[in-house]
Amino acid sequence: MDKRVVVFLVLSLGIILGFDVFLKQMGWFPEPPPAEEATTSSPSSPEQKPAPTRVEGQNSSPPGVNAPTQSGQKSNAPSSAPAPSILEQTVTVETDLVRVGLSNRGGVIQSLELKRYHTSPPEVKPVQLVYQGGKFKGPLSITVANADIDKTIREGLYRIEKDFTNLDAGHPVGHVTMQFQDPVTHLGVEKRLTFHHDSYVVDVAVALDGVNEPYEIGLGTNFGIVEWGDGFIGLIGSASRVDDKIDKDTPEKELELKGAVQWAALQDKYFISVMMPKQGEAVLVKLEAPKVVSAGVRMPASGAASSVALQLYAGPKEYDTLRSLNVGLEDMIDFGWFIYGSWSFVKAVAKPIFYVLRFIHDYIPNYGITIILLTVGIKLIFVPLQYKSYKSMKMMKAIQPKIAAVQEKYKGDRDKLNKELMKLYRDQKVNPLGSILPMFLQMPVFIALFNVLYMSIDLRQAPFMLWVTDLSVQDPFYVLPIIMGATMFIQQKITPNTMDPTQAKIMLVLPIGMTFLFINFPAGLVLYWMTNNILTITQQLVTDRFLLHDKALISARAEQSGSTNA
């Protein structure tokens, strides 16, 4: 009976882990978002020529403002005369962490590359956080209810000025100012961005003139979502914290959360973009298209002229970095997954394991070896529990003939059967649950370690050895999954069980199924599972050789049974 429970738990876990993989193989996942485009064109001018790169020191005049002629003199033509054509331009600013492209069409972030993170082969390039679909509002866009004002602000050409080209330790802070002024409507917008050396945080100040109604500052679409992915762990889409309550659900259409806004975010497994306003009255989330979601924060109206301050974080889900912001963003790293949701106990176990993983890595700068050492350490901690579990299995196997005899004798009387079985267990000093309880005690630790290895961005782009160059992606040659399946087969063969031979043969199919399941898992996870299997096999062999002896155990039980019958 104890073996059936173990098999049930293993099969249940296999079904849960393999469900998404099965859907992916069957092609039942939604189609991915449109392919990225090299440049983002204006919605109002789809046939516009590509924007030339901005020349350092060149300024653009806003619509309606007299531009200098070729001779350098201002034109005296009446204001009704058509203004000279102004091309869209892009200003690039760069720190040691990011490369940001700012478009003067609407004064938005057009691109944001993470210089230390790259996409997976075959096309290796810097991770691009800004969605390049080309038809949605960009990050830092401003939206108002009045259609005319909204169009003027979002389609106007801004003057962009900056006081740096690159930031480093010698020049740690730089500023970019984007200004727009419309002399006809007297609308004015200024967006001042402050970049910092060695930081993904950008301080943003937005000032409006001529707008006396609430307005939305947008986070853009999929800003922070590199890929939606098909994994079973990890939150993908929108998230927010309003009135100190975190909401992680992406709506089916639109969502408005009113209250004191701490932050609004868009995220995937490894990356996140977050807007943290000093004041905000609502978070707005909208599903623009399948796998395309936008988010923004509504600011309150404050008269004809208003200004707000906020912080923008766009980067990796590095635990310490997110925690240093002191707004609860570290909870976006989902270490607490278990079956159908987050389990606080697993999360509480996962964080210490995560700290130990990084502590070992500080001394051994190879995450593959770190995973092996961490698995060995956890295995050693549970040696007493696993010994008790294994000993209970052996005892149950030793008295199995007596159990079968009692079941045959009282098969027509269930109450009597249960009483006799309990008497037999007491006489033989065997606990039928002795092999199951230790496993339940270990389960949260193994699930927590599983979550840490699956969710931690520390393993992304982390090599192990030889062909394993990235522990966050699957083994390209399937060597680790095959070895893992072989060790699982050996473990199953040497583990005592109370099943009949036919059932035992059927269970030999389980390692094959698990091997195919783990083929698509990250190499770091497979390495952990394979190492755990090898250690379990070693422990069982040592236990059989030095601690338990089948013949002596069976002989002792037989003598005890004979004396009891006498």
Side-chain angles (χ1 to χ4, degrees):
M1 182 63 182
D2 57 318
K3 185 64 178 180
R4 294 177 183 177
V5 175
V6 175
V7 172
F8 170 76
L9 291 173
V10 173
L11 288 176
S12 299
L13 184 61
I15 292 172
I16 293 169
L17 301 186
F19 183 68
D20 285 346
V21 177
F22 172 74
L23 292 181
K24 181 179 179 182
Q25 295 296 329
M26 294 298 293
W28 293 342
F29 274 101
E31 292 296 324
E36 292 187 356
E37 299 177 0
T39 58
T40 303
S41 59
S42 171
S44 62
S45 54
E47 299 179 359
Q48 182 178 344
K49 296 181 180 180
T53 303
R54 177 182 175 89
V55 180
E56 186 65 29
Q58 177 181 354
N59 294 331
S60 300
S61 300
V65 176
N66 293 329
T69 63
Q70 293 181 353
S71 62
Q73 302 295 326
K74 289 186 178 181
S75 172
N76 294 322
S79 59
S80 59
S85 176
I86 300 176
L87 296 178
E88 291 188 35
Q89 298 172 348
T90 299
V91 172
T92 301
V93 297
E94 192 167 347
T95 73
D96 53 346
L97 298 179
V98 298
R99 183 179 294 108
V100 183
L102 301 170
S103 172
N104 71 332
R105 173 71 72 180
V108 298
I109 298 177
Q110 188 178 64
S111 64
L112 194 149
E113 294 181 353
L114 303 181
K115 299 169 66 173
R116 297 185 180 179
Y117 294 92
H118 299 82
T119 57
S120 302
E123 187 178 3
V124 179
K125 58 183 180 179
V127 166
Q128 172 63 253
L129 291 188
V130 178
Y131 180 65
Q132 300 289 293
K135 61 179 181 178
F136 301 109
K137 302 173 185 177
L140 298 185
S141 61
I142 295 176
T143 304
V144 298
N146 187 299
D148 294 333
I149 296 178
D150 182 75
K151 182 177 181 180
T152 301
I153 292 176
R154 289 196 297 108
E155 296 186 3
L157 294 177
Y158 287 58
R159 178 184 293 106
I160 302 181
E161 298 176 351
K162 60 179 182 176
D163 61 8
F164 73 101
T165 301
N166 293 282
L167 294 182
D168 51 33
H171 188 185
V173 179
H175 304 90
V176 176
T177 302
M178 299 186 289
Q179 293 179 321
F180 170 74
Q181 189 70 39
D182 186 358
V184 177
T185 60
H186 303 291
L187 289 173
V189 181
E190 179 180 277
K191 303 176 185 179
R192 183 175 175 85
L193 282 59
T194 303
F195 293 85
H196 304 274
H197 161 66
D198 199 27
S199 176
Y200 292 101
V201 176
V202 180
D203 296 319
V204 181
V206 178
L208 298 183
D209 187 12
V211 177
N212 54 6
E213 59 182 290
Y215 59 94
E216 173 191 346
I217 300 179
L219 194 55
T221 52
N222 290 18
F223 187 16
I225 301 178
V226 178
E227 58 181 17
W228 281 78
D230 301 324
F232 57 92
I233 304 178
L235 300 167
I236 298 177
S238 63
S240 62
R241 184 174 181 177
V242 180
D243 290 334
D244 290 325
K245 180 181 179 181
I246 295 179
D247 185 279
K248 302 177 182 179
D249 295 326
T250 297
E252 295 182 359
K253 190 174 181 181
E254 295 184 17
L255 175 66
E256 179 179 356
L257 298 173
K258 296 182 179 181
V261 179
Q262 281 79 44
W263 48 261
L266 294 172
Q267 63 170 334
D268 66 7
K269 177 181 174 182
Y270 289 128
F271 303 100
I272 187 171
S273 68
V274 190
M275 185 180 295
M276 297 167 281
K278 300 299 181 183
Q279 59 181 10
E281 61 180 20
V283 170
L284 306 171
V285 182
K286 182 178 181 181
L287 189 66
E288 304 282 359
K291 293 189 176 183
V292 179
V293 60
S294 65
V297 177
R298 179 187 295 140
M299 301 297 180
S302 57
S306 64
S307 62
V308 295
L310 56 94
Q311 285 185 313
L312 177 68
Y313 176 91
K317 284 185 173 180
E318 296 174 351
Y319 185 83
D320 289 340
T321 303
L322 296 179
R323 188 177 62 174
S324 67
L325 298 175
N326 295 318
V327 289
L329 283 170
E330 65 272 15
D331 290 334
M332 294 298 99
I333 306 175
D334 193 8
F335 287 154
W337 177 89
F338 184 71
I339 307 298
Y340 295 110
S342 294
W343 189 17
S344 58
F345 182 65
V346 173
K347 184 176 181 180
V349 174
K351 287 187 177 181
I353 291 177
F354 176 65
Y355 292 139
V356 173
L357 179 72
R358 294 195 306 174
F359 175 79
I360 298 174
H361 185 259
D362 289 339
Y363 296 93
I364 302 176
N366 183 308
Y367 265 111
I369 299 177
T370 299
I371 291 172
I372 293 175
L373 293 177
L374 179 61
T375 307
V376 171
I378 293 176
K379 197 72 174 177
L380 290 174
I381 294 175
F382 286 108
V383 162
L385 284 176
Q386 290 175 325
Y387 171 75
K388 290 183 179 180
S389 177
Y390 188 65
K391 181 179 179 180
S392 180
M393 290 182 187
K394 298 285 284 187
M395 290 181 176
M396 286 294 295
K397 183 178 180 180
I399 66 171
Q400 190 61 32
K402 298 180 177 61
I403 294 176
V406 172
Q407 290 174 337
E408 178 65 24
K409 182 177 181 179
Y410 299 102
K411 61 182 179 180
D413 188 345
R414 181 173 295 274
D415 292 337
K416 185 67 175 177
L417 173 62
N418 290 334
K419 292 179 180 179
E420 290 298 322
L421 285 176
M422 294 303 297
K423 182 177 182 300
L424 176 63
Y425 294 147
R426 285 195 304 269
D427 293 342
Q428 301 297 319
K429 296 182 180 180
V430 175
N431 182 1
L433 299 179
S435 61
I436 300 177
L437 291 178
M439 181 188 64
F440 274 109
L441 294 176
Q442 299 173 59
M443 182 78 71
V445 176
F446 291 136
I447 293 295
L449 180 57
F450 189 94
N451 291 351
V452 168
L453 297 180
Y454 187 86
M455 293 298 300
S456 175
I457 196 173
D458 299 66
L459 298 186
R460 197 177 190 277
Q461 302 173 191
F464 176 36
M465 61 175 60
L466 300 177
W467 69 94
V468 182
T469 58
D470 189 342
L471 288 168
S472 69
V473 301
Q474 67 186 49
D475 184 337
F477 300 109
Y478 310 127
V479 176
L480 294 180
I482 292 175
I483 297 177
M484 187 221 70
T487 57
M488 190 173 182
F489 177 82
I490 296 172
Q491 179 183 348
Q492 192 173 37
K493 290 290 290 183
I494 66 176
T495 300
N497 65 78
T498 58
M499 294 184 293
D500 60 64
T502 302
Q503 291 176 324
K505 290 180 180 180
I506 294 176
M507 287 305 300
L508 293 179
V509 180
L510 182 60
I512 299 176
M514 294 295 287
T515 300
F516 280 101
L517 173 64
F518 272 72
I519 279 177
N520 296 300
F521 275 23
L525 278 178
V526 182
L527 178 63
Y528 149 65
W529 209 276
M530 181 189 73
T531 303
N532 187 71
N533 287 349
I534 293 175
L535 293 174
T536 301
I537 293 171
T538 303
Q539 181 182 356
Q540 291 183 190
L541 292 176
V542 170
T543 302
D544 279 339
R545 178 68 178 84
F546 298 103
L547 301 178
L548 294 177
H549 303 280
D550 289 351
K551 293 183 179 179
L553 180 63
I554 294 174
S555 176
R557 291 306 178 197
E559 292 178 1
Q560 184 178 0
S561 177
S563 62
T564 301
N565 294 335

